[in-house]
Amino acid sequence: MDYINDFISFVREQYNTDKFIPLHEPRFRGNEKAYLLDTIDSTFVSSVGAYVDEFERMMEQFTGVSKAVAVVNGTASLQVSLRLAGVSEGDEVITQALTFIATANAIVYNNAAPIFLDVDLDTMGLSPQAVRNFLEEFGELREDGCYNRFSGKRIAACMPMHTFGFPVHLDELIAVCNKWQIPVVEDAAESLGSYYKGKHTGTIGLVGGVSFNGNKTITSGGGGVIISNNLDLGVQAKYLTTTAKRPHPYEFFHDEMGYNFRMPNLNAAVACAQMEMLDTFLADKRMLAEQYSRFFKGLGVNFRTETTDTKANYWLMCVELNDTNERDKFLKISNENGIMTRPIWTLMTRLPMYQHCQKDQQKNAEFLEQRIINIPSSVR
């Protein structure tokens, strides 16, 4: 464990400070203030404005999708994405237990129930083999889709999460889900700037959701976006998230239950300025990841890097330690010395509101839960 003091010195050298170093803080080095002032001067500070339209256009251009719809946060993007995929009351959604709670919550917001399956060790994301094993044991194809023989409920979607920006094995996962007629909704909340076989995450499944929370690679304070190459679904997403109001110059008529999930123009102004800096931020984070990789090499510590055929955004960088004792010592010493580190999330299956949900053995998820630590990953 002698390397921890060297790690502390290394991190301070990277960020050139003796002060507290957070896990991931935003950087505002572009046109954020200018665009905010422009928004205020325009008086269009709420959910209608030029910056909302521009942000959606920028996201479409960056990710290569047919339609991007800006919303109030990443959780809302996932909630609506699941509804667009056909998830409704009483359904079930396959996902992973090793995730941030928004993944599971978005399922329940649709009055559906999560099924928690294991992750792969290399991606830390939903395992295609775990999904295949589960469906071969419990799946039943009927005229209107796949059903769970254990619960009798329809399995309406599968939602993998690209953990810390590392893409899951999408080709294999989608192949399994296609066989069982289950649409894939990508939780790309953490993976803006990550690619799988040359395609941006969130664009490969039916629909995807991205987050712009304050701790993400770029931020709009709050905010999220729904992305899809299905233009009809994109149009429906815009309609649902703007209260399902039929267009009219002055009359209000709503013909479906929608959501007031619109991103305010103020947030979109910040998002536009941040998008202008995205390539620079991603390049800096990649350089930092390379330096971390060199530092940990030979120390018996596995610094997590991207897998074959992927390009990760290195949103939150992480190391895999040898056991729980080493993890806890690393956390204690680093945080006591002003270097913020944190363990990976508690598995959803351990939380009181989700511990009753159907799950598999979670062998890999439990292994990673005991060993993964996030380390400072801010743009320098």
Side-chain angles (χ1 to χ4, degrees):
M1 299 296 290
D2 293 340
Y3 68 85
I4 298 181
N5 289 327
D6 293 334
F7 165 77
I8 292 168
S9 298
F10 176 82
V11 174
R12 293 209 173 279
E13 180 181 336
Q14 295 304 309
Y15 290 99
N16 192 28
T17 182
D18 291 328
K19 298 179 180 178
F20 171 75
I21 298 176
L23 199 64
H24 199 290
E25 62 181 354
R27 299 286 187 247
F28 302 110
R29 297 173 178 171
N31 291 310
E32 290 87 356
K33 291 181 181 179
Y35 291 172
L36 280 170
L37 288 173
D38 182 54
T39 307
I40 292 169
D41 289 342
S42 76
T43 74
F44 285 91
V45 297
S46 191
S47 54
V48 175
Y51 286 106
V52 175
D53 297 336
E54 176 63 10
F55 174 53
E56 291 177 342
R57 185 198 66 78
M58 295 174 82
M59 278 298 300
E60 289 165 0
Q61 183 178 38
F62 184 82
T63 62
V65 292
S66 301
K67 185 67 175 176
V69 177
V71 292
V72 68
N73 56 50
T75 307
S77 75
L78 299 177
Q79 177 182 345
V80 177
S81 292
L82 289 166
R83 178 171 168 181
L84 292 168
V87 176
S88 59
E89 184 173 0
D91 287 339
E92 294 178 332
V93 176
I94 292 172
T95 191
Q96 59 204 65
L98 189 71
T99 185
F100 180 58
I101 197 167
T103 309
N105 285 350
I107 296 168
V108 177
Y109 294 160
N110 283 281
N111 297 307
I115 298 170
F116 294 114
L117 301 185
D118 209 355
V119 297
D120 284 322
L121 288 176
D122 58 348
T123 68
M124 299 179 286
L126 187 62
S127 168
Q129 186 60 52
V131 175
R132 181 182 294 109
N133 292 344
F134 177 85
L135 291 172
E136 288 178 353
E137 181 176 0
F138 295 106
E140 179 183 329
L141 276 175
R142 302 180 187 174
E143 288 185 2
D144 58 341
C146 181
Y147 280 75
N148 183 347
R149 288 201 300 266
F150 176 78
S151 66
K153 296 181 179 181
R154 185 173 72 110
I155 302 175
C158 175
M159 187 161 65
M161 197 273 281
H162 302 298
T163 305
F164 306 138
F166 294 106
V168 304
H169 296 298
L170 279 168
D171 279 356
E172 298 171 51
L173 182 63
I174 290 174
V176 173
C177 290
N178 283 345
K179 177 181 177 180
W180 291 91
Q181 300 177 21
I182 300 171
V184 172
V185 175
E186 292 180 68
D187 182 346
E190 302 175 356
S191 61
L192 180 66
S194 294
Y195 296 83
Y196 177 81
K197 295 185 177 180
K199 296 179 180 179
H200 196 283
T201 52
T203 71
I204 303 166
L206 181 65
V207 63
V210 182
S211 173
F212 297 92
N213 188 42
N215 68 345
K216 293 300 189 292
T217 303
I218 63 171
T219 184
S220 51
V225 69
I226 300 165
I227 52 178
S228 180
N229 276 312
N230 185 316
L231 185 58
D232 290 338
L233 283 184
V235 171
Q236 181 73 357
K238 187 70 171 180
Y239 162 70
L240 287 175
T241 56
T242 53
T243 70
K245 178 183 179 294
R246 289 299 176 187
H248 193 278
Y250 49 86
E251 290 184 355
F252 286 79
F253 184 80
H254 311 257
D255 59 1
E256 191 172 351
M257 191 280 288
Y259 313 94
N260 188 4
F261 283 171
R262 301 169 288 188
M263 176 184 282
N265 202 38
L266 278 170
N267 295 87
V270 176
C272 287
Q274 289 271 288
M275 284 295 293
E276 292 172 351
M277 299 296 296
L278 179 54
D279 286 339
T280 300
F281 289 173
L282 289 170
D284 181 86
K285 290 170 75 64
R286 179 162 288 272
M287 289 177 60
L288 178 60
E290 290 171 357
Q291 289 167 331
Y292 271 137
S293 183
R294 286 195 294 269
F295 172 80
F296 285 110
K297 188 175 182 179
L299 295 178
V301 176
N302 178 20
F303 176 77
R304 286 301 193 121
T305 57
E306 60 204 2
T307 57
T308 304
D309 292 329
T310 73
K311 183 177 182 181
N313 64 357
Y314 289 103
W315 167 54
L316 278 188
M317 300 172 213
C318 58
V319 292
E320 177 189 319
L321 301 181
N322 293 308
D323 53 42
T324 306
N325 288 334
E326 185 178 0
R327 181 201 68 176
D328 291 346
K329 289 179 181 178
F330 192 109
L331 289 168
K332 184 176 187 297
I333 295 172
S334 57
N335 281 284
E336 285 178 348
N337 283 273
I339 306 294
M340 184 177 178
T341 58
R342 77 174 191 193
I344 205 167
W345 314 280
T346 299
L347 296 184
M348 296 298 101
T349 50
R350 301 192 197 280
L351 303 181
M353 58 283 202
Y354 293 126
Q355 61 186 5
H356 66 282
C357 294
Q358 191 175 2
K359 64 178 181 178
D360 61 8
Q361 289 187 338
Q362 299 290 306
K363 180 180 178 181
N364 292 342
E366 291 178 358
F367 177 92
L368 294 169
E369 181 191 32
Q370 296 167 3
R371 291 166 173 81
I372 294 292
I373 286 180
N374 292 122
I375 56 180
S377 306
S378 306
V379 171
R380 291 164 295 176

